[in-house]
Amino acid sequence: MVCFRLAPVPGSGLLLLCLVLGAVSSYALELNLTDSENATCLYAKWQMNFTIRYETTDKHNKTVTISDLGPATYSGSSCGDDQNGPKIAVQFGSGFSWIVNFTEETSFYSIDSISFSYNTNDNTTFPDAKEKGVFTVSDRVAFRVPLNDIFRCNSLLTLGKNDVVQHYWDVHVQAFVQNGTVSTKEFLCDKDKTLTTVLPIVPTTVPSPTTTPSPKEKPEVGSYSVVNSNGTCLLATMGLQLNITHDKVASVININPNTTNFTGSCHPQTALLRLSSSSIKYLDFVFAVKNENRFYLKEVNVSMYLVNGSVFSIANNNLSYWDAPLGSSYMCNKEQTVSVSGAFQINTFDLRVQPFNVMEGKYSTAQECSLDDDTILIPIIVGAGLSGLIIVIVIAYLIGRRKSYAGYQTL
């Protein structure tokens, strides 16, 4: 019997499916594969998406991000036998499939190869594609993991070949599970091994740094988007400036959108925009729905390399910024600061975001931030003017009364 335990969306519960494989979103996949004796033989939990570049009929290049293609099946996944090693096989959308193969050595097992197939006949995902058909890219991975260890890599892993870039993160996998029990001993990927310095979230004011950063010019504004099976599901336009304090040294970093990669995912209650570059392992903006009628920025996670080679990491899932009604976008042209922690703030410029209910790939009507709302200045100015006038009248009246009293002599 083959069973899968899947958790497509946090909080949605677990599904235990035997023989008949059901549907699950490609976000936060969790698989528990059992053998004929109902003992776990392979365990995996991971997140992934894909960025594909293709040529259109008018000889232009388009890029699409595959992050959530709805129902998935797991036909062909197996524990392995004497002839073949274990395998995870996932099918989703119209002709999309993903396969990872494992092999065993004396005291190690290997995550041997990963292949991904996509179908450009899907006009919704690949509009105006010049070449039609199913295309497959395969990569030799050869991650060697000690037997009875679980491989863990929370950092962003990237595989690039031809016109396809594959992104993986929050990976936990163990093939050849011993005695049906998933190991608690972790074997870390190289990127996770470098995460030795993780700064805590400090809500209080940071002491003045010994080194002050030199002033930075306004960052360049970048445009980012996330696409799923229904088309564009998230839009973001913003200039980003990172303010970091590490070991009492402050630095300011402008994000260059021309050298920044972006991925993400969209779901009914949450949406993710992830930015990455040569120095930024990941910068996550997580949006959430509240009260079923508004959205807001709920979480920011960052892990990046500093100039001195150390790794700076911060996470805060208790934020409340960029609040706007569902069906609209949030806009703030003035400089705005998102305070993630005492050691990490993000300054935004010319910001506009819409993480839900994007229609036809365009922004909906924007709700402006209070910093942009100049109309509030009118009553303030009028009120200040009236207050000053009243003060002048009162002072003049008191002076007049004083003079009138001075004109009389006491008998």
Side-chain angles (χ1 to χ4, degrees), residues 280-314:
I280 300 174
K281 301 171 73 173
Y282 57 82
L283 174 58
D284 291 347
F285 296 89
V286 181
F287 301 87
V289 174
K290 68 177 180 179
N291 301 328
E292 299 183 356
N293 60 1
R294 301 187 70 86
F295 72 83
Y296 69 105
L297 178 66
K298 181 181 185 297
E299 181 177 346
V300 170
N301 306 310
V302 65
S303 182
M304 60 186 295
Y305 298 103
L306 300 181
V307 176
N308 61 9
S310 62
V311 176
F312 176 88
S313 298
I314 286 288

Side-chain angles (χ1 to χ4, degrees), residues 321-335:
Y321 291 95
W322 307 350
D323 188 300
L326 283 175
S328 68
S329 59
Y330 176 86
M331 184 170 68
C332 197
N333 292 319
K334 300 287 180 61
E335 180 179 353

Side-chain angles (χ1 to χ4, degrees), residues 224-259:
Y224 313 98
S225 62
V226 177
V227 178
N228 64 8
S229 58
N230 298 317
T232 302
C233 59
L234 184 152
L235 291 171
T237 304
M238 52 191 170
L240 295 172
Q241 188 177 79
L242 311 183
N243 293 271
I244 299 169
T245 303
H246 182 54
D247 291 339
K248 294 185 178 182
V249 176
S251 57
V252 178
I253 301 172
N254 286 347
I255 288 185
N256 182 358
N258 300 315
T259 58

